[in-house]
Coordinates of all heavy atoms in Angstrom, one line a residue:
I1586 N 152.2 -89.4 85.0 CA 153.4 -90.3 85.2 C 154.1 -90.5 83.9 O 155.4 -90.5 83.9 CB 152.9 -91.6 85.8 CG1 152.4 -91.4 87.3 CG2 154.1 -92.7 85.8 CD1 151.7 -92.6 87.8
A1587 N 153.4 -90.7 82.8 CA 154.0 -90.9 81.5 C 154.8 -89.7 81.1 O 155.9 -89.8 80.5 CB 152.9 -91.1 80.5
Q1588 N 154.4 -88.5 81.5 CA 155.2 -87.3 81.3 C 156.6 -87.4 82.0 O 157.6 -87.0 81.4 CB 154.5 -86.0 81.7 CG 153.3 -85.7 80.9 CD 153.6 -85.1 79.5 OE1 154.6 -84.4 79.4 NE2 152.9 -85.6 78.5
D1589 N 156.5 -87.8 83.2 CA 157.8 -88.0 84.0 C 158.7 -89.0 83.3 O 159.9 -88.8 83.2 CB 157.5 -88.5 85.4 CG 157.1 -87.3 86.3 OD1 157.1 -86.2 85.9 OD2 156.9 -87.6 87.5
I1590 N 158.1 -90.1 82.8 CA 158.9 -91.2 82.2 C 159.5 -90.6 80.8 O 160.7 -90.8 80.5 CB 158.1 -92.4 81.9 CG1 157.6 -93.0 83.3 CG2 158.8 -93.4 81.1 CD1 156.7 -94.2 83.1
Q1591 N 158.7 -90.0 80.1 CA 159.1 -89.4 78.8 C 160.2 -88.5 78.9 O 161.2 -88.5 78.1 CB 157.9 -88.7 78.1 CG 158.2 -88.2 76.7 CD 157.1 -87.4 76.1 OE1 156.1 -87.3 76.7 NE2 157.3 -87.0 74.9
K1592 N 160.2 -87.6 79.9 CA 161.2 -86.6 80.1 C 162.4 -87.1 80.9 O 163.4 -86.4 81.1 CB 160.6 -85.4 80.9 CG 159.5 -84.7 80.2 CD 159.9 -84.1 78.8 CE 158.7 -83.4 78.2 NZ 159.1 -82.8 76.9
G1593 N 162.4 -88.4 81.3 CA 163.5 -89.0 81.9 C 163.7 -88.7 83.4 O 164.7 -88.9 84.0
Q1594 N 162.6 -88.1 84.0 CA 162.7 -87.8 85.4 C 162.5 -89.0 86.3 O 163.0 -89.0 87.4 CB 161.6 -86.8 85.7 CG 161.9 -85.4 85.1 CD 160.9 -84.3 85.6 OE1 159.7 -84.6 85.8 NE2 161.3 -83.1 85.7
V1595 N 161.9 -90.1 85.8 CA 161.8 -91.3 86.5 C 162.0 -92.4 85.4 O 161.8 -92.2 84.2 CB 160.5 -91.5 87.2 CG1 160.3 -90.5 88.3 CG2 159.3 -91.6 86.3
K1596 N 162.4 -93.6 85.9 CA 162.6 -94.7 85.0 C 161.6 -95.9 85.5 O 161.5 -96.2 86.7 CB 164.0 -95.2 85.0 CG 165.0 -94.2 84.4 CD 166.4 -94.8 84.4 CE 167.4 -93.8 83.8 NZ 168.8 -94.4 83.8
G1597 N 161.0 -96.5 84.5 CA 160.1 -97.6 84.8 C 158.9 -97.6 83.9 O 158.9 -97.1 82.7
K1598 N 157.8 -98.2 84.3 CA 156.6 -98.4 83.5 C 155.4 -98.1 84.3 O 155.3 -98.3 85.5 CB 156.6 -99.8 83.0 CG 155.4 -100.2 82.1 CD 155.6 -101.6 81.6 CE 154.5 -102.0 80.7 NZ 154.6 -103.4 80.2
V1599 N 154.4 -97.5 83.6 CA 153.1 -97.3 84.2 C 152.0 -98.0 83.4 O 152.1 -97.9 82.1 CB 152.7 -95.8 84.4 CG1 152.7 -95.1 83.1 CG2 151.4 -95.6 85.2
T1600 N 151.1 -98.7 84.0 CA 150.0 -99.3 83.3 C 148.7 -98.9 83.9 O 148.5 -99.0 85.2 CB 150.1 -100.8 83.3 OG1 151.3 -101.3 82.7 CG2 148.9 -101.5 82.6
V1601 N 147.8 -98.4 83.1 CA 146.4 -98.1 83.6 C 145.5 -99.2 83.2 O 145.4 -99.5 82.0 CB 145.9 -96.7 83.0 CG1 144.5 -96.5 83.5 CG2 146.8 -95.6 83.5
F1602 N 144.8 -99.8 84.2 CA 143.9 -100.9 83.9 C 142.5 -100.3 83.9 O 142.0 -99.8 84.9 CB 144.0 -101.9 85.0 CG 145.3 -102.6 85.0 CD1 146.3 -102.2 85.9 CD2 145.6 -103.7 84.2 CE1 147.6 -102.8 85.9 CE2 146.9 -104.3 84.2 CZ 147.9 -103.9 85.0
G1603 N 141.8 -100.4 82.8 CA 140.4 -100.0 82.7 C 139.5 -101.2 83.1 O 139.4 -102.2 82.5
C1604 N 139.0 -101.0 84.3 CA 138.3 -102.1 85.0 C 136.8 -101.9 85.0 O 136.3 -101.0 85.7 CB 138.7 -102.3 86.4 SG 140.5 -102.3 86.6
P1605 N 136.0 -102.6 84.2 CA 134.5 -102.4 84.1 C 133.8 -103.1 85.3 O 134.4 -103.9 86.0 CB 134.2 -103.1 82.8 CG 135.2 -104.2 82.7 CD 136.5 -103.7 83.3
A1606 N 132.6 -102.8 85.4 CA 131.6 -103.6 86.3 C 132.1 -103.7 87.7 O 131.9 -104.8 88.3 CB 131.4 -104.9 85.6
E1607 N 132.6 -102.6 88.3 CA 132.9 -102.7 89.7 C 131.7 -102.9 90.6 O 131.7 -103.6 91.6 CB 133.7 -101.5 90.2 CG 134.3 -101.5 91.6 CD 133.3 -101.3 92.7 OE1 132.3 -100.6 92.5 OE2 133.6 -101.8 93.8
E1608 N 130.6 -102.3 90.2 CA 129.4 -102.4 91.0 C 128.8 -103.8 91.0 O 128.1 -104.2 91.9 CB 128.3 -101.4 90.4 CG 128.7 -99.9 90.5 CD 128.8 -99.4 92.0 OE1 128.5 -100.2 92.9 OE2 129.3 -98.3 92.2
L1609 N 129.2 -104.6 90.0 CA 128.8 -106.0 89.9 C 129.9 -106.8 90.6 O 129.7 -108.1 90.7 CB 128.6 -106.4 88.5 CG 127.4 -105.8 87.8 CD1 127.4 -106.2 86.3 CD2 126.1 -106.1 88.4
L1610 N 131.0 -106.2 91.0 CA 132.1 -106.9 91.6 C 132.7 -108.0 90.6 O 133.0 -109.1 91.1 CB 131.7 -107.5 92.9 CG 131.2 -106.5 93.9 CD1 130.7 -107.2 95.2 CD2 132.3 -105.5 94.3
I1611 N 132.8 -107.6 89.4 CA 133.2 -108.6 88.4 C 134.6 -108.3 87.7 O 135.5 -109.1 87.6 CB 132.2 -108.6 87.2 CG1 130.9 -109.4 87.7 CG2 132.7 -109.3 86.0 CD1 129.8 -109.4 86.7
G1612 N 134.8 -107.0 87.4 CA 135.9 -106.7 86.5 C 137.3 -107.1 86.9 O 138.0 -107.8 86.2
K1613 N 137.7 -106.6 88.1 CA 139.1 -106.9 88.6 C 139.3 -108.4 88.9 O 140.4 -108.9 88.7 CB 139.4 -106.0 89.8 CG 139.4 -104.5 89.4 CD 139.7 -103.7 90.7 CE 139.4 -102.3 90.4 NZ 137.9 -102.0 90.2
G1614 N 138.2 -109.1 89.3 CA 138.4 -110.5 89.5 C 138.7 -111.2 88.2 O 139.6 -112.1 88.2
R1615 N 138.1 -110.9 87.1 CA 138.4 -111.6 85.9 C 139.7 -111.2 85.3 O 140.5 -112.0 84.8 CB 137.3 -111.2 84.8 CG 135.9 -111.8 85.1 CD 134.9 -111.5 84.1 NE 133.6 -112.0 84.4 CZ 132.5 -111.8 83.6 NH1 132.6 -111.2 82.5 NH2 131.3 -112.3 84.0
M1616 N 140.1 -109.9 85.6 CA 141.4 -109.4 85.1 C 142.5 -110.1 86.0 O 143.6 -110.4 85.5 CB 141.5 -107.9 85.2 CG 140.5 -107.2 84.3 SD 140.4 -105.4 84.5 CE 141.7 -104.9 83.4
A1617 N 142.2 -110.3 87.3 CA 143.2 -111.0 88.1 C 143.4 -112.4 87.7 O 144.5 -112.9 87.6 CB 142.8 -110.9 89.6
E1618 N 142.3 -113.1 87.4 CA 142.3 -114.5 86.9 C 143.1 -114.6 85.6 O 143.8 -115.6 85.4 CB 140.9 -115.0 86.7 CG 140.2 -115.3 88.0 CD 138.8 -115.8 87.8 OE1 138.4 -115.9 86.6 OE2 138.1 -115.9 88.8
A1619 N 143.0 -113.6 84.8 CA 143.8 -113.5 83.5 C 145.2 -113.2 83.7 O 146.0 -113.2 82.7 CB 143.1 -112.6 82.5
G1620 N 145.7 -112.9 84.9 CA 147.1 -112.6 85.2 C 147.5 -111.2 84.8 O 148.7 -110.9 84.7
L1621 N 146.6 -110.3 84.5 CA 146.9 -109.0 84.0 C 147.7 -108.1 84.9 O 148.4 -107.2 84.5 CB 145.6 -108.3 83.5 CG 144.9 -108.9 82.3 CD1 143.7 -108.1 82.0 CD2 145.8 -109.1 81.1
F1622 N 147.5 -108.3 86.2 CA 148.1 -107.5 87.2 C 149.5 -108.0 87.7 O 150.3 -107.3 88.3 CB 147.3 -107.4 88.5 CG 145.9 -106.9 88.3 CD1 144.8 -107.5 88.8 CD2 145.6 -105.8 87.5 CE1 143.5 -107.1 88.6 CE2 144.3 -105.3 87.3 CZ 143.3 -106.0 87.9

Side-chain angles (χ1 to χ4, degrees):
I1586 292 168
Q1588 289 291 317
D1589 279 1
I1590 295 173
Q1591 182 184 3
K1592 300 298 182 181
Q1594 291 187 325
V1595 298
K1596 292 183 179 180
K1598 182 176 181 178
V1599 61
T1600 298
V1601 176
F1602 296 95
C1604 308
E1607 191 280 334
E1608 297 295 353
L1609 296 173
L1610 302 172
I1611 287 176
K1613 297 179 193 66
R1615 293 184 183 178
M1616 297 173 86
E1618 289 176 3
L1621 296 179
F1622 305 133

